[in-house]
Amino acid sequence: MLRVMTDVAPAAASPAPAHEHSRTGLSADALRRGIVDHLRYSIGRPAAALRPEHYYRALALAVRDRMQNNRVASTQTSLDLGRKVTCYLSAEFLMGPQLGANLLNLQIESAARAALAELGQDLDQVLACEEEPGLGNGGLGRLAACYLDSLATLERPAIGYGIRYEFGIFDQEIHDGWQVEKTDNWLDNGNPWEIAKPDVSYLVNWGGYAEHYTDDAGHDRVRWVPGRVLKGVAYDTPIQGYGVKTCNVLTLWSARAVKSFALDAFNTGDYYKAVEDEVNSETVTKVLYPNDEPEVGKRLRLLQQYFFVSCSLQHVLHIMDDLADVSVHELPERFALQLNDTHPSIGVAELMRLLVDERQLGWDEAWDITVATFGYTNHTLLPEALETWPLAMFGESLPRHLEIIYEINRRFLDEVAEKFPGDPDRLRRMSLIGEDNGKSVRMAHLATVGSHAVNGVAALHSELLKSSVLKDFYEMWPERFSNKTNGVTPRRFLALANPGLRELLDDTIGEGWLSDPVRLRGLESFVDDPAFGDRWRAVKRANKARLAEYILASAGVDLNPDWLFDIQVKRIHEYKRQHLNVLHIATLYHRLKQNPGLEIPPRAFIFGGKAAPGYFLAKRIIKLINAVGETVNNDPDVNRFLKVAFVPNFNVQNAHLIYPAADLSEQISTAGKEASGTGNMKFMMNGALTIGTLDGANVEMRTEAGAENFFLFGLTVDEVEEIKRGGYRPSDYTDAELATVLDLIASGAFSHGDTEVFRPLADNLRHDDPFLVLADYQSYVACQDRVSVAWQDIPAWTRMSIRNTARSGKFSSDRAITEYCDDIWGVGPVTV
Ligand SMILES: *Cc1c(COP(=O)(O)O)cnc(C)c1O
């Protein structure tokens, strides 16, 4: 194939009239020329050897050229105007496939399709070649990605800072019903979106000790003598806004060995030691930690957090230094630093270190700058998910930061004591250093003390923060607290994921909804239009057929698109209660077996989600879903009415197929446990009805949609607390039907008679369940029965579905980002 050397990629041999530049032009012709150039100069393969993945790469590079052009203009404009920039610090960015989203935001989808067609390629086939960067666990990382999309679309200057994990979240396979984890090799074929910037690089210390000395002017100073030094190198990915010139950037840091340190080893002849150190340094950004694992003070995770935060803050200060006539005192006027959960909260101590030790500012002025610059978003109320680090390990790793934290704490507790005299218990509760089961550093406290703004992610969650985990801090500084209900980008989760609905919306209410999702309200005038209802249902039917095809190929289960599609996709966790959903399926199974004449509206139960590799019960829940599925799907008595499918490896790519295909969205967490949820919003935008508890953003979704368009069940937060206060006795909630269903599971009815495999789950539910599954069972099953009745009234269901989409505008990340910009960051739009 390679033998004919003249047989090269179709190149600039036939130059088209170059009205538009091949790197920046947005026409199909300019784009085709750009692709052809990249095939020749960046891919460098003979035409006969070109496969769709090469066209993917060439198109991606051509698209990146266009974004880079906007990127340079965006940076220049905000520098010229001296405008404030948001820095979103997040250990996770779950970006999903980039090509489709970038074509959409540049508004060149049809140009790209035409350009590829001229080259004999199909855009959809080329899009399918993309490997998604799985640099996040779930909702938190995906939220960060949605926020980057909205920041750019709203023309707000912003930098996302994170970690360039070489291996993202593991790929999930299902073997014999069990989850099996496989390494995610997302970089194997390269990443056309990133630009390595070896010159944007910073040194990061680790370990060693803090040395106190007196400088020439007689001031007490501290320098950190590290045990180890590594280097962070920036990789930049452009983030294009929709329908605007603004193009921001995501900067991800990758760890490298510091070569000069290895030289010592060379001098002593220990070549292998030098190589080994290099390998060790580079493991720092090797792999993303799955969350929901029991926290065991993983030193490497602390190093990852410190590493990316230190690089990011050094970068910000470096930008400040490059600005003429701007001193570091103006940091809060130039940059807003947002902490996405506590993962980057070491930044509070690191900024103090950079200002006090390295820039020699006084403590008080450094502290004022720090607090004015940082904001903190809390994402969880689960006590086991609140980050703490064992004090000894923290001190060995970051000796200077521990000193700084002690000093912050000393001054802070003085302030508390002044405001609340004679309350030692309060001091103990609020301290940055925890004393229960071994001393530890409490990162949520550090983040709260070091930020001028603290927010929760849904109205209910923000209220609970103020009355529970951060109550003392709320009493101290009520003005710091606010709510910023999460949102999701309608570009990706509506337009890109649901092209059928996009076309119907464009036809019906015009294209304005893409940049102003509140305009979805315009659908209200078509709710009673039967012709519109028919089109609405046709779109949903096609999405369900598309998902059914994917599920047949990936899970081997054949689903009928005319059935009710009942979907629960999200991380597998006890608090999200996938097992409550399974109890309902087992109940229907039992009813059908008991009563052969029974007819119920047919339903497909679809699940997806990863369990943390070390989370015993979550992995068993996956096995249970698959075991019930195998039994149900193969039993002719029930498979006329029920099917169960587990979609392997839930990720952003297959999420595009899943959310638009749902009739019913399962949002059934124990009230008070889900901070917000964002999957719930993606389903609602795509016209699914929700069955849910009064938890997280469900509460606001129900208010927006109207209670009559939402299936509510379950205990409220107050009721959950009351039950827990009195001591939860699951047997009090176990009626005859539930007892039978639990017995079925425990007795091996779904496990070929194996009575061991699900015993831990059944025991947990019957004796030891902090998430009150059995207490909500009756209410849930009764609500599901109402769903089945409602589903049979097709026109009424269609109206409810349309109303859900029409009223979903609030849950756009554009609304959320506007609130952050106005209330916390003070970052305004900059038109490029
Ligand atoms: C939206 C999303 C999530 C979050 O889902 P929740 O239902 O809010 O937990 C997790 N993973 C992926 C891939 C998502 O797109």
Side-chain angles (χ1 to χ4, degrees), residues 94 132 137-140 142 488 493 569-571 575-576 650-653 655 659 666-667 674 676-680 682-683:
L94 190 53
E132 84 171 74
N137 274 282
L140 174 139
R142 185 52 236 176
V488 300
F493 287 108
V569 285
K570 48 181 75 244
R571 287 298 287 247
Y575 87 78
K576 293 175 181 277
F650 178 50
N651 61 11
V652 180
Q653 191 146 29
Y659 291 114
E666 299 268 353
Q667 307 301 334
E674 186 75 87
S676 163
T678 48
N680 47 3
K682 300 169 199 166
F683 280 115

PDB file of all heavy atoms in Angstrom, residues 94 132 137-140 142 488 493 569-571 575-576 650-653 655 659 666-667 674 676-680 682-683, ligand 1:
ATOM      1  N   LEU A  94     -15.365  16.335  32.996  1.00  0.00           N
ATOM      2  CA  LEU A  94     -15.873  15.214  32.198  1.00  0.00           C
ATOM      3  C   LEU A  94     -16.421  15.781  30.887  1.00  0.00           C
ATOM      4  O   LEU A  94     -17.619  16.025  30.742  1.00  0.00           O
ATOM      5  CB  LEU A  94     -16.960  14.475  32.990  1.00  0.00           C
ATOM      6  CG  LEU A  94     -17.459  13.145  32.440  1.00  0.00           C
ATOM      7  CD1 LEU A  94     -16.334  12.172  32.161  1.00  0.00           C
ATOM      8  CD2 LEU A  94     -18.446  12.515  33.420  1.00  0.00           C
ATOM      9  N   GLU A 132     -13.694   9.522  24.048  1.00  0.00           N
ATOM     10  CA  GLU A 132     -13.978  10.653  24.935  1.00  0.00           C
ATOM     11  C   GLU A 132     -12.998  10.719  26.111  1.00  0.00           C
ATOM     12  O   GLU A 132     -12.604   9.690  26.654  1.00  0.00           O
ATOM     13  CB  GLU A 132     -15.432  10.634  25.427  1.00  0.00           C
ATOM     14  CG  GLU A 132     -15.694   9.767  26.635  1.00  0.00           C
ATOM     15  CD  GLU A 132     -17.105   9.990  27.192  1.00  0.00           C
ATOM     16  OE1 GLU A 132     -18.054   9.510  26.553  1.00  0.00           O
ATOM     17  OE2 GLU A 132     -17.243  10.630  28.242  1.00  0.00           O
ATOM     18  N   ASN A 137     -15.562  11.485  37.386  1.00  0.00           N
ATOM     19  CA  ASN A 137     -16.334  10.354  37.873  1.00  0.00           C
ATOM     20  C   ASN A 137     -17.789  10.394  37.444  1.00  0.00           C
ATOM     21  O   ASN A 137     -18.393   9.365  37.170  1.00  0.00           O
ATOM     22  CB  ASN A 137     -16.295  10.335  39.403  1.00  0.00           C
ATOM     23  CG  ASN A 137     -15.078   9.611  39.941  1.00  0.00           C
ATOM     24  OD1 ASN A 137     -15.054   8.389  39.944  1.00  0.00           O
ATOM     25  ND2 ASN A 137     -14.067  10.355  40.344  1.00  0.00           N
ATOM     26  N   GLY A 138     -18.374  11.589  37.436  1.00  0.00           N
ATOM     27  CA  GLY A 138     -19.807  11.695  37.169  1.00  0.00           C
ATOM     28  C   GLY A 138     -20.245  13.138  37.192  1.00  0.00           C
ATOM     29  O   GLY A 138     -19.618  14.006  36.564  1.00  0.00           O
ATOM     30  N   GLY A 139     -21.283  13.399  37.994  1.00  0.00           N
ATOM     31  CA  GLY A 139     -21.934  14.703  37.976  1.00  0.00           C
ATOM     32  C   GLY A 139     -21.024  15.903  38.214  1.00  0.00           C
ATOM     33  O   GLY A 139     -21.128  16.908  37.513  1.00  0.00           O
ATOM     34  N   LEU A 140     -20.115  15.795  39.177  1.00  0.00           N
ATOM     35  CA  LEU A 140     -19.272  16.952  39.517  1.00  0.00           C
ATOM     36  C   LEU A 140     -18.372  17.353  38.349  1.00  0.00           C
ATOM     37  O   LEU A 140     -18.239  18.535  38.038  1.00  0.00           O
ATOM     38  CB  LEU A 140     -18.450  16.622  40.766  1.00  0.00           C
ATOM     39  CG  LEU A 140     -17.401  17.636  41.215  1.00  0.00           C
ATOM     40  CD1 LEU A 140     -17.416  17.756  42.731  1.00  0.00           C
ATOM     41  CD2 LEU A 140     -16.014  17.250  40.749  1.00  0.00           C
ATOM     42  N   ARG A 142     -18.870  16.546  35.175  1.00  0.00           N
ATOM     43  CA  ARG A 142     -19.695  16.966  34.037  1.00  0.00           C
ATOM     44  C   ARG A 142     -20.209  18.393  34.262  1.00  0.00           C
ATOM     45  O   ARG A 142     -20.331  19.169  33.329  1.00  0.00           O
ATOM     46  CB  ARG A 142     -20.840  15.968  33.847  1.00  0.00           C
ATOM     47  CG  ARG A 142     -21.711  16.221  32.634  1.00  0.00           C
ATOM     48  CD  ARG A 142     -20.919  16.360  31.330  1.00  0.00           C
ATOM     49  NE  ARG A 142     -21.230  17.623  30.687  1.00  0.00           N
ATOM     50  CZ  ARG A 142     -20.641  18.066  29.569  1.00  0.00           C
ATOM     51  NH1 ARG A 142     -19.715  17.368  28.953  1.00  0.00           N
ATOM     52  NH2 ARG A 142     -20.980  19.228  29.073  1.00  0.00           N
ATOM     53  N   VAL A 488     -27.324  22.457  33.283  1.00  0.00           N
ATOM     54  CA  VAL A 488     -26.629  21.677  32.241  1.00  0.00           C
ATOM     55  C   VAL A 488     -26.739  22.424  30.922  1.00  0.00           C
ATOM     56  O   VAL A 488     -27.673  23.210  30.717  1.00  0.00           O
ATOM     57  CB  VAL A 488     -27.225  20.258  32.102  1.00  0.00           C
ATOM     58  CG1 VAL A 488     -27.113  19.499  33.411  1.00  0.00           C
ATOM     59  CG2 VAL A 488     -28.682  20.296  31.636  1.00  0.00           C
ATOM     60  N   PHE A 493     -26.769  18.737  25.672  1.00  0.00           N
ATOM     61  CA  PHE A 493     -27.741  17.742  26.131  1.00  0.00           C
ATOM     62  C   PHE A 493     -29.106  17.863  25.470  1.00  0.00           C
ATOM     63  O   PHE A 493     -29.962  17.021  25.657  1.00  0.00           O
ATOM     64  CB  PHE A 493     -27.820  17.735  27.662  1.00  0.00           C
ATOM     65  CG  PHE A 493     -26.587  17.098  28.255  1.00  0.00           C
ATOM     66  CD1 PHE A 493     -25.624  17.867  28.905  1.00  0.00           C
ATOM     67  CD2 PHE A 493     -26.364  15.734  28.116  1.00  0.00           C
ATOM     68  CE1 PHE A 493     -24.470  17.275  29.419  1.00  0.00           C
ATOM     69  CE2 PHE A 493     -25.213  15.133  28.623  1.00  0.00           C
ATOM     70  CZ  PHE A 493     -24.258  15.907  29.279  1.00  0.00           C
ATOM     71  N   VAL A 569     -29.860   6.201  35.082  1.00  0.00           N
ATOM     72  CA  VAL A 569     -28.421   6.186  34.787  1.00  0.00           C
ATOM     73  C   VAL A 569     -27.723   7.214  35.662  1.00  0.00           C
ATOM     74  O   VAL A 569     -28.116   8.379  35.711  1.00  0.00           O
ATOM     75  CB  VAL A 569     -28.111   6.477  33.293  1.00  0.00           C
ATOM     76  CG1 VAL A 569     -28.430   5.271  32.427  1.00  0.00           C
ATOM     77  CG2 VAL A 569     -28.838   7.711  32.786  1.00  0.00           C
ATOM     78  N   LYS A 570     -26.677   6.804  36.342  1.00  0.00           N
ATOM     79  CA  LYS A 570     -25.915   7.636  37.276  1.00  0.00           C
ATOM     80  C   LYS A 570     -24.938   6.699  37.977  1.00  0.00           C
ATOM     81  O   LYS A 570     -25.048   5.483  37.828  1.00  0.00           O
ATOM     82  CB  LYS A 570     -26.838   8.317  38.289  1.00  0.00           C
ATOM     83  CG  LYS A 570     -27.849   7.363  38.944  1.00  0.00           C
ATOM     84  CD  LYS A 570     -28.766   8.063  39.922  1.00  0.00           C
ATOM     85  CE  LYS A 570     -29.832   8.902  39.276  1.00  0.00           C
ATOM     86  NZ  LYS A 570     -29.737  10.318  39.535  1.00  0.00           N
ATOM     87  N   ARG A 571     -23.984   7.243  38.729  1.00  0.00           N
ATOM     88  CA  ARG A 571     -23.121   6.366  39.505  1.00  0.00           C
ATOM     89  C   ARG A 571     -23.973   5.424  40.363  1.00  0.00           C
ATOM     90  O   ARG A 571     -25.053   5.797  40.819  1.00  0.00           O
ATOM     91  CB  ARG A 571     -22.201   7.200  40.401  1.00  0.00           C
ATOM     92  CG  ARG A 571     -21.097   7.901  39.638  1.00  0.00           C
ATOM     93  CD  ARG A 571     -20.195   6.908  38.967  1.00  0.00           C
ATOM     94  NE  ARG A 571     -19.362   6.258  39.942  1.00  0.00           N
ATOM     95  CZ  ARG A 571     -18.038   6.407  40.019  1.00  0.00           C
ATOM     96  NH1 ARG A 571     -17.402   7.161  39.138  1.00  0.00           N
ATOM     97  NH2 ARG A 571     -17.354   5.789  40.948  1.00  0.00           N
ATOM     98  N   TYR A 575     -27.071   5.609  48.228  1.00  0.00           N
ATOM     99  CA  TYR A 575     -27.980   6.743  48.467  1.00  0.00           C
ATOM    100  C   TYR A 575     -28.821   7.065  47.233  1.00  0.00           C
ATOM    101  O   TYR A 575     -29.911   7.616  47.348  1.00  0.00           O
ATOM    102  CB  TYR A 575     -27.215   7.983  48.963  1.00  0.00           C
ATOM    103  CG  TYR A 575     -26.645   8.896  47.897  1.00  0.00           C
ATOM    104  CD1 TYR A 575     -27.463   9.796  47.209  1.00  0.00           C
ATOM    105  CD2 TYR A 575     -25.288   8.881  47.584  1.00  0.00           C
ATOM    106  CE1 TYR A 575     -26.936  10.632  46.236  1.00  0.00           C
ATOM    107  CE2 TYR A 575     -24.758   9.704  46.626  1.00  0.00           C
ATOM    108  CZ  TYR A 575     -25.584  10.582  45.952  1.00  0.00           C
ATOM    109  OH  TYR A 575     -25.068  11.392  44.985  1.00  0.00           O
ATOM    110  N   LYS A 576     -28.347   6.663  46.045  1.00  0.00           N
ATOM    111  CA  LYS A 576     -29.120   6.891  44.824  1.00  0.00           C
ATOM    112  C   LYS A 576     -30.200   5.813  44.639  1.00  0.00           C
ATOM    113  O   LYS A 576     -31.098   5.950  43.821  1.00  0.00           O
ATOM    114  CB  LYS A 576     -28.194   6.964  43.612  1.00  0.00           C
ATOM    115  CG  LYS A 576     -27.275   8.207  43.626  1.00  0.00           C
ATOM    116  CD  LYS A 576     -26.298   8.169  42.462  1.00  0.00           C
ATOM    117  CE  LYS A 576     -25.339   9.348  42.427  1.00  0.00           C
ATOM    118  NZ  LYS A 576     -25.906  10.562  41.800  1.00  0.00           N
ATOM    119  N   PHE A 650     -21.534   3.464  31.191  1.00  0.00           N
ATOM    120  CA  PHE A 650     -22.224   4.759  31.059  1.00  0.00           C
ATOM    121  C   PHE A 650     -21.180   5.878  31.014  1.00  0.00           C
ATOM    122  O   PHE A 650     -20.334   6.006  31.894  1.00  0.00           O
ATOM    123  CB  PHE A 650     -23.166   4.952  32.249  1.00  0.00           C
ATOM    124  CG  PHE A 650     -23.886   6.276  32.240  1.00  0.00           C
ATOM    125  CD1 PHE A 650     -24.560   6.717  31.111  1.00  0.00           C
ATOM    126  CD2 PHE A 650     -23.886   7.079  33.377  1.00  0.00           C
ATOM    127  CE1 PHE A 650     -25.230   7.945  31.103  1.00  0.00           C
ATOM    128  CE2 PHE A 650     -24.551   8.303  33.385  1.00  0.00           C
ATOM    129  CZ  PHE A 650     -25.217   8.734  32.240  1.00  0.00           C
ATOM    130  N   ASN A 651     -21.246   6.674  29.947  1.00  0.00           N
ATOM    131  CA  ASN A 651     -20.323   7.805  29.804  1.00  0.00           C
ATOM    132  C   ASN A 651     -21.038   8.915  29.025  1.00  0.00           C
ATOM    133  O   ASN A 651     -22.230   8.776  28.719  1.00  0.00           O
ATOM    134  CB  ASN A 651     -19.019   7.359  29.121  1.00  0.00           C
ATOM    135  CG  ASN A 651     -19.250   6.803  27.721  1.00  0.00           C
ATOM    136  OD1 ASN A 651     -20.334   6.927  27.151  1.00  0.00           O
ATOM    137  ND2 ASN A 651     -18.231   6.178  27.160  1.00  0.00           N
ATOM    138  N   VAL A 652     -20.342   9.985  28.723  1.00  0.00           N
ATOM    139  CA  VAL A 652     -21.030  11.105  28.072  1.00  0.00           C
ATOM    140  C   VAL A 652     -21.485  10.710  26.666  1.00  0.00           C
ATOM    141  O   VAL A 652     -22.585  11.066  26.235  1.00  0.00           O
ATOM    142  CB  VAL A 652     -20.143  12.368  28.032  1.00  0.00           C
ATOM    143  CG1 VAL A 652     -20.875  13.508  27.347  1.00  0.00           C
ATOM    144  CG2 VAL A 652     -19.734  12.777  29.442  1.00  0.00           C
ATOM    145  N   GLN A 653     -20.649   9.925  25.993  1.00  0.00           N
ATOM    146  CA  GLN A 653     -21.000   9.523  24.632  1.00  0.00           C
ATOM    147  C   GLN A 653     -22.318   8.749  24.577  1.00  0.00           C
ATOM    148  O   GLN A 653     -23.207   9.092  23.802  1.00  0.00           O
ATOM    149  CB  GLN A 653     -19.862   8.657  24.081  1.00  0.00           C
ATOM    150  CG  GLN A 653     -19.988   8.406  22.596  1.00  0.00           C
ATOM    151  CD  GLN A 653     -18.617   8.327  21.947  1.00  0.00           C
ATOM    152  OE1 GLN A 653     -17.626   7.936  22.582  1.00  0.00           O
ATOM    153  NE2 GLN A 653     -18.536   8.700  20.687  1.00  0.00           N
ATOM    154  N   ALA A 655     -24.486   8.653  26.946  1.00  0.00           N
ATOM    155  CA  ALA A 655     -25.509   9.507  27.569  1.00  0.00           C
ATOM    156  C   ALA A 655     -26.298  10.264  26.486  1.00  0.00           C
ATOM    157  O   ALA A 655     -27.494  10.513  26.640  1.00  0.00           O
ATOM    158  CB  ALA A 655     -24.871  10.496  28.539  1.00  0.00           C
ATOM    159  N   TYR A 659     -30.396   9.868  27.479  1.00  0.00           N
ATOM    160  CA  TYR A 659     -31.327  10.875  28.029  1.00  0.00           C
ATOM    161  C   TYR A 659     -32.503  11.166  27.086  1.00  0.00           C
ATOM    162  O   TYR A 659     -33.649  11.248  27.533  1.00  0.00           O
ATOM    163  CB  TYR A 659     -30.575  12.168  28.377  1.00  0.00           C
ATOM    164  CG  TYR A 659     -29.628  12.032  29.568  1.00  0.00           C
ATOM    165  CD1 TYR A 659     -28.250  12.152  29.404  1.00  0.00           C
ATOM    166  CD2 TYR A 659     -30.110  11.790  30.853  1.00  0.00           C
ATOM    167  CE1 TYR A 659     -27.379  12.032  30.484  1.00  0.00           C
ATOM    168  CE2 TYR A 659     -29.251  11.666  31.941  1.00  0.00           C
ATOM    169  CZ  TYR A 659     -27.876  11.793  31.756  1.00  0.00           C
ATOM    170  OH  TYR A 659     -27.026  11.669  32.823  1.00  0.00           O
ATOM    171  N   GLU A 666     -35.720   8.251  36.622  1.00  0.00           N
ATOM    172  CA  GLU A 666     -35.718   7.806  38.022  1.00  0.00           C
ATOM    173  C   GLU A 666     -34.762   8.671  38.845  1.00  0.00           C
ATOM    174  O   GLU A 666     -33.546   8.623  38.657  1.00  0.00           O
ATOM    175  CB  GLU A 666     -35.265   6.339  38.105  1.00  0.00           C
ATOM    176  CG  GLU A 666     -36.155   5.360  37.367  1.00  0.00           C
ATOM    177  CD  GLU A 666     -37.260   4.766  38.244  1.00  0.00           C
ATOM    178  OE1 GLU A 666     -37.251   5.011  39.472  1.00  0.00           O
ATOM    179  OE2 GLU A 666     -38.127   4.067  37.690  1.00  0.00           O
ATOM    180  N   GLN A 667     -35.304   9.457  39.774  1.00  0.00           N
ATOM    181  CA  GLN A 667     -34.497  10.345  40.632  1.00  0.00           C
ATOM    182  C   GLN A 667     -34.936  10.091  42.071  1.00  0.00           C
ATOM    183  O   GLN A 667     -35.647  10.886  42.671  1.00  0.00           O
ATOM    184  CB  GLN A 667     -34.698  11.801  40.208  1.00  0.00           C
ATOM    185  CG  GLN A 667     -34.442  12.050  38.722  1.00  0.00           C
ATOM    186  CD  GLN A 667     -33.023  11.688  38.273  1.00  0.00           C
ATOM    187  OE1 GLN A 667     -32.076  11.704  39.075  1.00  0.00           O
ATOM    188  NE2 GLN A 667     -32.857  11.368  37.000  1.00  0.00           N
ATOM    189  N   GLU A 674     -28.927  13.680  47.924  1.00  0.00           N
ATOM    190  CA  GLU A 674     -28.427  14.131  46.616  1.00  0.00           C
ATOM    191  C   GLU A 674     -28.354  15.648  46.664  1.00  0.00           C
ATOM    192  O   GLU A 674     -29.374  16.318  46.816  1.00  0.00           O
ATOM    193  CB  GLU A 674     -29.377  13.679  45.515  1.00  0.00           C
ATOM    194  CG  GLU A 674     -28.906  13.960  44.102  1.00  0.00           C
ATOM    195  CD  GLU A 674     -27.804  13.001  43.645  1.00  0.00           C
ATOM    196  OE1 GLU A 674     -28.128  11.924  43.124  1.00  0.00           O
ATOM    197  OE2 GLU A 674     -26.619  13.342  43.831  1.00  0.00           O
ATOM    198  N   SER A 676     -27.753  17.974  44.351  1.00  0.00           N
ATOM    199  CA  SER A 676     -28.581  18.588  43.315  1.00  0.00           C
ATOM    200  C   SER A 676     -29.040  17.537  42.319  1.00  0.00           C
ATOM    201  O   SER A 676     -30.229  17.338  42.080  1.00  0.00           O
ATOM    202  CB  SER A 676     -27.785  19.670  42.571  1.00  0.00           C
ATOM    203  OG  SER A 676     -28.415  19.984  41.348  1.00  0.00           O
ATOM    204  N   GLY A 677     -28.047  16.836  41.743  1.00  0.00           N
ATOM    205  CA  GLY A 677     -28.312  16.017  40.572  1.00  0.00           C
ATOM    206  C   GLY A 677     -28.267  16.924  39.358  1.00  0.00           C
ATOM    207  O   GLY A 677     -28.587  18.120  39.433  1.00  0.00           O
ATOM    208  N   THR A 678     -27.799  16.388  38.243  1.00  0.00           N
ATOM    209  CA  THR A 678     -27.872  17.107  36.964  1.00  0.00           C
ATOM    210  C   THR A 678     -28.475  16.202  35.901  1.00  0.00           C
ATOM    211  O   THR A 678     -29.059  16.680  34.935  1.00  0.00           O
ATOM    212  CB  THR A 678     -26.474  17.574  36.503  1.00  0.00           C
ATOM    213  OG1 THR A 678     -25.566  16.486  36.599  1.00  0.00           O
ATOM    214  CG2 THR A 678     -25.985  18.740  37.347  1.00  0.00           C
ATOM    215  N   GLY A 679     -28.349  14.878  36.119  1.00  0.00           N
ATOM    216  CA  GLY A 679     -28.991  13.934  35.212  1.00  0.00           C
ATOM    217  C   GLY A 679     -30.492  14.201  35.171  1.00  0.00           C
ATOM    218  O   GLY A 679     -31.111  14.182  34.094  1.00  0.00           O
ATOM    219  N   ASN A 680     -31.071  14.482  36.331  1.00  0.00           N
ATOM    220  CA  ASN A 680     -32.505  14.806  36.400  1.00  0.00           C
ATOM    221  C   ASN A 680     -32.875  15.927  35.424  1.00  0.00           C
ATOM    222  O   ASN A 680     -33.902  15.879  34.746  1.00  0.00           O
ATOM    223  CB  ASN A 680     -32.898  15.141  37.853  1.00  0.00           C
ATOM    224  CG  ASN A 680     -31.938  16.107  38.551  1.00  0.00           C
ATOM    225  OD1 ASN A 680     -30.974  16.584  37.940  1.00  0.00           O
ATOM    226  ND2 ASN A 680     -32.193  16.400  39.823  1.00  0.00           N
ATOM    227  N   LYS A 682     -31.170  16.838  32.634  1.00  0.00           N
ATOM    228  CA  LYS A 682     -30.985  16.417  31.236  1.00  0.00           C
ATOM    229  C   LYS A 682     -32.218  15.650  30.757  1.00  0.00           C
ATOM    230  O   LYS A 682     -32.681  15.835  29.633  1.00  0.00           O
ATOM    231  CB  LYS A 682     -29.737  15.545  31.105  1.00  0.00           C
ATOM    232  CG  LYS A 682     -28.441  16.232  31.525  1.00  0.00           C
ATOM    233  CD  LYS A 682     -27.292  15.218  31.619  1.00  0.00           C
ATOM    234  CE  LYS A 682     -26.151  15.732  32.453  1.00  0.00           C
ATOM    235  NZ  LYS A 682     -25.194  14.658  32.835  1.00  0.00           N
ATOM    236  N   PHE A 683     -32.741  14.779  31.619  1.00  0.00           N
ATOM    237  CA  PHE A 683     -33.963  14.044  31.271  1.00  0.00           C
ATOM    238  C   PHE A 683     -35.132  15.010  31.047  1.00  0.00           C
ATOM    239  O   PHE A 683     -35.883  14.885  30.088  1.00  0.00           O
ATOM    240  CB  PHE A 683     -34.338  13.081  32.402  1.00  0.00           C
ATOM    241  CG  PHE A 683     -33.561  11.783  32.431  1.00  0.00           C
ATOM    242  CD1 PHE A 683     -32.718  11.486  33.486  1.00  0.00           C
ATOM    243  CD2 PHE A 683     -33.715  10.842  31.427  1.00  0.00           C
ATOM    244  CE1 PHE A 683     -32.030  10.274  33.542  1.00  0.00           C
ATOM    245  CE2 PHE A 683     -33.036   9.621  31.463  1.00  0.00           C
ATOM    246  CZ  PHE A 683     -32.190   9.337  32.534  1.00  0.00           C
TER     247      PHE A 683
HETATM  248  C1  LIG B   1     -25.041  14.021  34.027  1.00  0.00           C
HETATM  249  C2  LIG B   1     -24.123  12.889  34.203  1.00  0.00           C
HETATM  250  C3  LIG B   1     -23.927  12.345  35.475  1.00  0.00           C
HETATM  251  C4  LIG B   1     -24.650  12.855  36.715  1.00  0.00           C
HETATM  252  O1  LIG B   1     -25.865  12.175  36.852  1.00  0.00           O
HETATM  253  P1  LIG B   1     -26.745  12.293  38.200  1.00  0.00           P
HETATM  254  O2  LIG B   1     -28.008  11.607  37.797  1.00  0.00           O
HETATM  255  O3  LIG B   1     -26.959  13.741  38.462  1.00  0.00           O
HETATM  256  O4  LIG B   1     -26.005  11.595  39.259  1.00  0.00           O
HETATM  257  C5  LIG B   1     -23.052  11.285  35.611  1.00  0.00           C
HETATM  258  N1  LIG B   1     -22.410  10.775  34.544  1.00  0.00           N
HETATM  259  C6  LIG B   1     -22.598  11.255  33.288  1.00  0.00           C
HETATM  260  C7  LIG B   1     -21.878  10.625  32.150  1.00  0.00           C
HETATM  261  C8  LIG B   1     -23.453  12.331  33.079  1.00  0.00           C
HETATM  262  O5  LIG B   1     -23.612  12.816  31.840  1.00  0.00           O
END
